[in-house]
Amino acid sequence: DIQMTQSPSSLSASVGDRVTITCQASQDISNYLNWYQQKPGKAPKLLIYDASNLETGVPSRFSGSGSGTDFTFTISSLQPEDIATYYCQQYDNLPPLFGQGTKLEIK
Amino acid sequence: QLQLQESGPGLVKPSETLSLTCTVSGGSISSSSYYWGWIRQPPGKGLEWIGSIYYSGSTYYNPSLKSRVTISVDTSKNQFSLKLSSVTAADTAVYYCARHLAVAGPSDYWGQGTLVTVSS
């Protein structure tokens, strides 16, 4: 299995801050990397697919970059409604493992 | 607007079979562009992909669960289903159905999720 190492596991930031989460794959996954947002009690929501493509309807403050083994997810200006847990997911190989998640809180 | 809705028992006894159905509305499960999958999340933990199915019936399973999982599709009812046999407390989780853009690719539509507890 391709392991995904996501960091940090938790993050506290202020409204308006730039927030960055990283995800590292145990082997080259090209750009087969997605990012999801999950709010408490809700299903995950797809934000970024194929490493850098913004899902339709997702605010432009969210972005993704990277290829191969190293990927970055960025919120350019943190908003109160962005409080959630964020997951990366590779889908280059089965099973499509998720990262451990990053819980984002407002400082 | 596409909608997915999980249904099934919320309580299953150990060693029995967990059965869930996902009903798709607002779109056809027979679309050649998509796969249909199951993902679960134990309380307070992360996400685990269980498997997916194409409308033709082709299935893809997580190797860690493959011996216990069966996913099937009923195109006449616009539904797909999950069966997980020989359940234990470790299978207690919120189970989500989702639409995949590839075999196990980006999941752009999700059901609300249903909690299944394994307990006697």
Side-chain angles (χ1 to χ4, degrees), chain A residues 1 34 36 38 41-46 49-50 55 87 89-91 94-100, chain B residues 39 41 45-49 60-63 96 101-108 110-113:
Chain A
D1 294 0
N34 308 312
Y36 295 90
Q38 186 177 32
K42 300 294 187 181
K45 175 185 177 182
L46 179 66
Y49 64 94
D50 294 349
E55 175 69 349
Y87 294 94
Q89 180 207 27
Q90 70 81 20
Y91 71 103
L94 294 184
L97 292 181
F98 292 84
Q100 304 94 315
Chain B
I39 295 158
Q41 185 172 37
K45 296 188 178 180
L47 299 159
E48 180 180 34
W49 182 81
Y60 309 84
Y61 297 136
N62 189 325
Y96 296 101
L101 302 180
V103 169
S107 302
D108 60 346
W110 295 65
Q112 64 185 23

Side-chain angles (χ1 to χ4, degrees), chain B residues 4-78:
Chain B
L4 291 82
Q5 178 68 56
E6 305 90 352
S7 60
L11 181 63
V12 180
K13 290 183 168 56
S15 79
E16 295 189 345
T17 297
L18 177 161
S19 296
L20 296 174
T21 295
C22 182
T23 300
V24 179
S25 58
S28 174
I29 203 169
S30 299
S31 169
S32 60
S33 302
Y34 307 111
Y35 293 74
W36 305 90
W38 291 95
I39 295 158
R40 70 179 183 178
Q41 185 172 37
K45 296 188 178 180
L47 299 159
E48 180 180 34
W49 182 81
I50 299 170
S52 65
I53 191 165
Y54 194 54
Y55 77 94
S56 63
S58 296
T59 52
Y60 309 84
Y61 297 136
N62 189 325
S64 69
L65 298 168
K66 187 173 183 177
S67 64
R68 299 194 291 130
V69 172
T70 302
I71 297 175
S72 59
V73 64
D74 186 336
T75 55
S76 67
K77 295 182 179 179
N78 228 32

